[in-house]
Amino acid sequence: MNAETIRVAHYVAVKELQRLHNDGQRIPRWLAEHERRLRQDMAALGHRAVPGPLEQQGWRTCSDIAEEEQCSTRTVRRRAARLGAMKIGNHWWFPP
């Protein structure tokens, strides 16, 4: 794919992720992975790193929560569902 095709594909993937999230629908693992790969491709072409849609909205990862709570990421993953996190693929995301 050329640079313009990658840019457009990334834009479409991000918009779809945002729509699903805003509608409260499940985000398919394949779509989250596809957006991540497109973001990596854009970075390889020299585009500046763009945070994903959840990061843009202030959502945090297990690592962020573990750092704040001064505990291990394993502990945070065990407690993620009780803390109101949303699992996308293999990753837990915590609301802002």
Side-chain angles (χ1 to χ4, degrees):
M1 283 195 278
N2 64 28
E4 184 64 14
T5 304
I6 291 171
R7 188 186 67 75
V8 170
H10 182 258
Y11 175 82
V12 170
V14 166
K15 287 298 178 184
E16 181 62 11
L17 283 170
Q18 289 172 339
R19 185 191 66 77
L20 290 170
H21 172 71
N22 291 338
D23 291 347
Q25 296 180 14
R26 184 182 157 277
I27 296 175
R29 181 178 182 175
W30 68 266
L31 182 57
E33 288 295 316
H34 181 62
E35 186 274 332
R36 183 187 58 78
R37 282 192 304 271
L38 288 168
R39 193 169 0 125
Q40 290 173 342
D41 290 346
M42 287 179 58
L45 292 170
H47 291 272
R48 63 181 177 80
V50 178
L54 293 177
E55 294 143 325
Q56 290 171 350
Q57 296 176 13
W59 285 66
R60 298 167 295 160
T61 63
C62 284
S63 299
D64 299 333
I65 300 296
E67 189 176 309
E68 288 174 17
E69 299 296 321
Q70 298 179 350
C71 62
S72 71
T73 55
R74 184 173 183 268
T75 299
V76 173
R77 283 192 303 272
R78 279 197 326 261
R79 299 177 182 164
R82 282 185 298 180
L83 296 173
M86 176 174 62
K87 191 166 188 180
I88 301 174
N90 290 330
H91 303 284
W92 286 97
W93 288 91
F94 295 83

PDB file of all heavy atoms in Angstrom, residues 30-42:
ATOM      1  N   TRP A  30     -10.051  -7.994  15.930  1.00  0.00           N
ATOM      2  CA  TRP A  30      -9.397  -7.823  14.627  1.00  0.00           C
ATOM      3  C   TRP A  30      -9.333  -6.343  14.239  1.00  0.00           C
ATOM      4  O   TRP A  30      -8.353  -5.911  13.632  1.00  0.00           O
ATOM      5  CB  TRP A  30     -10.082  -8.643  13.538  1.00  0.00           C
ATOM      6  CG  TRP A  30     -11.464  -8.171  13.180  1.00  0.00           C
ATOM      7  CD1 TRP A  30     -12.642  -8.617  13.688  1.00  0.00           C
ATOM      8  CD2 TRP A  30     -11.792  -7.129  12.251  1.00  0.00           C
ATOM      9  NE1 TRP A  30     -13.693  -7.936  13.139  1.00  0.00           N
ATOM     10  CE2 TRP A  30     -13.201  -7.010  12.245  1.00  0.00           C
ATOM     11  CE3 TRP A  30     -11.057  -6.287  11.423  1.00  0.00           C
ATOM     12  CZ2 TRP A  30     -13.870  -6.082  11.455  1.00  0.00           C
ATOM     13  CZ3 TRP A  30     -11.728  -5.368  10.631  1.00  0.00           C
ATOM     14  CH2 TRP A  30     -13.108  -5.272  10.652  1.00  0.00           C
ATOM     15  N   LEU A  31     -10.362  -5.578  14.583  1.00  0.00           N
ATOM     16  CA  LEU A  31     -10.371  -4.165  14.219  1.00  0.00           C
ATOM     17  C   LEU A  31      -9.345  -3.382  15.041  1.00  0.00           C
ATOM     18  O   LEU A  31      -8.620  -2.543  14.500  1.00  0.00           O
ATOM     19  CB  LEU A  31     -11.774  -3.574  14.409  1.00  0.00           C
ATOM     20  CG  LEU A  31     -11.935  -2.115  14.024  1.00  0.00           C
ATOM     21  CD1 LEU A  31     -11.546  -1.873  12.571  1.00  0.00           C
ATOM     22  CD2 LEU A  31     -13.368  -1.671  14.280  1.00  0.00           C
ATOM     23  N   ALA A  32      -9.256  -3.671  16.327  1.00  0.00           N
ATOM     24  CA  ALA A  32      -8.261  -3.009  17.175  1.00  0.00           C
ATOM     25  C   ALA A  32      -6.843  -3.337  16.690  1.00  0.00           C
ATOM     26  O   ALA A  32      -5.982  -2.449  16.617  1.00  0.00           O
ATOM     27  CB  ALA A  32      -8.448  -3.418  18.630  1.00  0.00           C
ATOM     28  N   GLU A  33      -6.609  -4.605  16.337  1.00  0.00           N
ATOM     29  CA  GLU A  33      -5.291  -5.008  15.828  1.00  0.00           C
ATOM     30  C   GLU A  33      -4.993  -4.364  14.473  1.00  0.00           C
ATOM     31  O   GLU A  33      -3.870  -3.949  14.201  1.00  0.00           O
ATOM     32  CB  GLU A  33      -5.210  -6.534  15.718  1.00  0.00           C
ATOM     33  CG  GLU A  33      -5.116  -7.232  17.044  1.00  0.00           C
ATOM     34  CD  GLU A  33      -3.826  -6.904  17.771  1.00  0.00           C
ATOM     35  OE1 GLU A  33      -2.754  -6.903  17.148  1.00  0.00           O
ATOM     36  OE2 GLU A  33      -3.912  -6.631  18.978  1.00  0.00           O
ATOM     37  N   HIS A  34      -5.999  -4.286  13.624  1.00  0.00           N
ATOM     38  CA  HIS A  34      -5.835  -3.665  12.300  1.00  0.00           C
ATOM     39  C   HIS A  34      -5.444  -2.193  12.455  1.00  0.00           C
ATOM     40  O   HIS A  34      -4.515  -1.714  11.793  1.00  0.00           O
ATOM     41  CB  HIS A  34      -7.134  -3.806  11.512  1.00  0.00           C
ATOM     42  CG  HIS A  34      -7.095  -3.227  10.134  1.00  0.00           C
ATOM     43  ND1 HIS A  34      -6.233  -3.679   9.163  1.00  0.00           N
ATOM     44  CD2 HIS A  34      -7.794  -2.212   9.570  1.00  0.00           C
ATOM     45  CE1 HIS A  34      -6.409  -2.980   8.053  1.00  0.00           C
ATOM     46  NE2 HIS A  34      -7.357  -2.082   8.286  1.00  0.00           N
ATOM     47  N   GLU A  35      -6.123  -1.478  13.348  1.00  0.00           N
ATOM     48  CA  GLU A  35      -5.803  -0.063  13.576  1.00  0.00           C
ATOM     49  C   GLU A  35      -4.390   0.078  14.118  1.00  0.00           C
ATOM     50  O   GLU A  35      -3.639   0.954  13.707  1.00  0.00           O
ATOM     51  CB  GLU A  35      -6.815   0.551  14.555  1.00  0.00           C
ATOM     52  CG  GLU A  35      -6.651   2.061  14.733  1.00  0.00           C
ATOM     53  CD  GLU A  35      -5.634   2.444  15.773  1.00  0.00           C
ATOM     54  OE1 GLU A  35      -5.408   1.677  16.721  1.00  0.00           O
ATOM     55  OE2 GLU A  35      -5.038   3.538  15.640  1.00  0.00           O
ATOM     56  N   ARG A  36      -3.971  -0.816  15.024  1.00  0.00           N
ATOM     57  CA  ARG A  36      -2.627  -0.756  15.584  1.00  0.00           C
ATOM     58  C   ARG A  36      -1.569  -0.971  14.499  1.00  0.00           C
ATOM     59  O   ARG A  36      -0.582  -0.246  14.428  1.00  0.00           O
ATOM     60  CB  ARG A  36      -2.468  -1.810  16.688  1.00  0.00           C
ATOM     61  CG  ARG A  36      -1.099  -1.769  17.375  1.00  0.00           C
ATOM     62  CD  ARG A  36      -0.920  -2.927  18.339  1.00  0.00           C
ATOM     63  NE  ARG A  36      -1.057  -4.221  17.706  1.00  0.00           N
ATOM     64  CZ  ARG A  36      -0.112  -4.808  16.961  1.00  0.00           C
ATOM     65  NH1 ARG A  36       1.023  -4.185  16.735  1.00  0.00           N
ATOM     66  NH2 ARG A  36      -0.309  -6.001  16.433  1.00  0.00           N
ATOM     67  N   ARG A  37      -1.815  -1.951  13.613  1.00  0.00           N
ATOM     68  CA  ARG A  37      -0.853  -2.213  12.526  1.00  0.00           C
ATOM     69  C   ARG A  37      -0.775  -1.029  11.562  1.00  0.00           C
ATOM     70  O   ARG A  37       0.307  -0.667  11.096  1.00  0.00           O
ATOM     71  CB  ARG A  37      -1.229  -3.493  11.790  1.00  0.00           C
ATOM     72  CG  ARG A  37      -0.823  -4.756  12.523  1.00  0.00           C
ATOM     73  CD  ARG A  37      -0.948  -5.992  11.655  1.00  0.00           C
ATOM     74  NE  ARG A  37      -2.285  -6.174  11.112  1.00  0.00           N
ATOM     75  CZ  ARG A  37      -3.265  -6.832  11.705  1.00  0.00           C
ATOM     76  NH1 ARG A  37      -3.053  -7.376  12.884  1.00  0.00           N
ATOM     77  NH2 ARG A  37      -4.452  -6.960  11.140  1.00  0.00           N
ATOM     78  N   LEU A  38      -1.929  -0.438  11.258  1.00  0.00           N
ATOM     79  CA  LEU A  38      -1.913   0.734  10.373  1.00  0.00           C
ATOM     80  C   LEU A  38      -1.161   1.894  11.018  1.00  0.00           C
ATOM     81  O   LEU A  38      -0.432   2.631  10.347  1.00  0.00           O
ATOM     82  CB  LEU A  38      -3.343   1.159  10.021  1.00  0.00           C
ATOM     83  CG  LEU A  38      -4.074   0.226   9.060  1.00  0.00           C
ATOM     84  CD1 LEU A  38      -5.558   0.576   9.016  1.00  0.00           C
ATOM     85  CD2 LEU A  38      -3.463   0.287   7.669  1.00  0.00           C
ATOM     86  N   ARG A  39      -1.336   2.067  12.328  1.00  0.00           N
ATOM     87  CA  ARG A  39      -0.611   3.133  13.039  1.00  0.00           C
ATOM     88  C   ARG A  39       0.895   2.883  12.963  1.00  0.00           C
ATOM     89  O   ARG A  39       1.684   3.809  12.750  1.00  0.00           O
ATOM     90  CB  ARG A  39      -1.086   3.178  14.491  1.00  0.00           C
ATOM     91  CG  ARG A  39      -0.658   4.410  15.210  1.00  0.00           C
ATOM     92  CD  ARG A  39      -1.314   4.634  16.564  1.00  0.00           C
ATOM     93  NE  ARG A  39      -2.266   3.649  16.985  1.00  0.00           N
ATOM     94  CZ  ARG A  39      -2.196   2.992  18.145  1.00  0.00           C
ATOM     95  NH1 ARG A  39      -1.209   3.211  18.979  1.00  0.00           N
ATOM     96  NH2 ARG A  39      -3.117   2.117  18.476  1.00  0.00           N
ATOM     97  N   GLN A  40       1.312   1.605  13.092  1.00  0.00           N
ATOM     98  CA  GLN A  40       2.730   1.264  12.975  1.00  0.00           C
ATOM     99  C   GLN A  40       3.239   1.534  11.557  1.00  0.00           C
ATOM    100  O   GLN A  40       4.348   2.043  11.380  1.00  0.00           O
ATOM    101  CB  GLN A  40       2.953  -0.194  13.345  1.00  0.00           C
ATOM    102  CG  GLN A  40       2.778  -0.485  14.806  1.00  0.00           C
ATOM    103  CD  GLN A  40       2.847  -1.970  15.103  1.00  0.00           C
ATOM    104  OE1 GLN A  40       2.706  -2.814  14.222  1.00  0.00           O
ATOM    105  NE2 GLN A  40       3.039  -2.298  16.374  1.00  0.00           N
ATOM    106  N   ASP A  41       2.426   1.200  10.558  1.00  0.00           N
ATOM    107  CA  ASP A  41       2.815   1.459   9.169  1.00  0.00           C
ATOM    108  C   ASP A  41       2.986   2.950   8.919  1.00  0.00           C
ATOM    109  O   ASP A  41       3.908   3.373   8.224  1.00  0.00           O
ATOM    110  CB  ASP A  41       1.777   0.892   8.202  1.00  0.00           C
ATOM    111  CG  ASP A  41       1.761  -0.629   8.164  1.00  0.00           C
ATOM    112  OD1 ASP A  41       2.724  -1.241   8.682  1.00  0.00           O
ATOM    113  OD2 ASP A  41       0.788  -1.189   7.633  1.00  0.00           O
ATOM    114  N   MET A  42       2.089   3.748   9.482  1.00  0.00           N
ATOM    115  CA  MET A  42       2.199   5.199   9.320  1.00  0.00           C
ATOM    116  C   MET A  42       3.476   5.721   9.969  1.00  0.00           C
ATOM    117  O   MET A  42       4.167   6.566   9.407  1.00  0.00           O
ATOM    118  CB  MET A  42       0.975   5.909   9.923  1.00  0.00           C
ATOM    119  CG  MET A  42      -0.274   5.735   9.076  1.00  0.00           C
ATOM    120  SD  MET A  42      -1.722   6.523   9.780  1.00  0.00           S
ATOM    121  CE  MET A  42      -1.209   8.207   9.916  1.00  0.00           C
TER     122      MET A  42
END
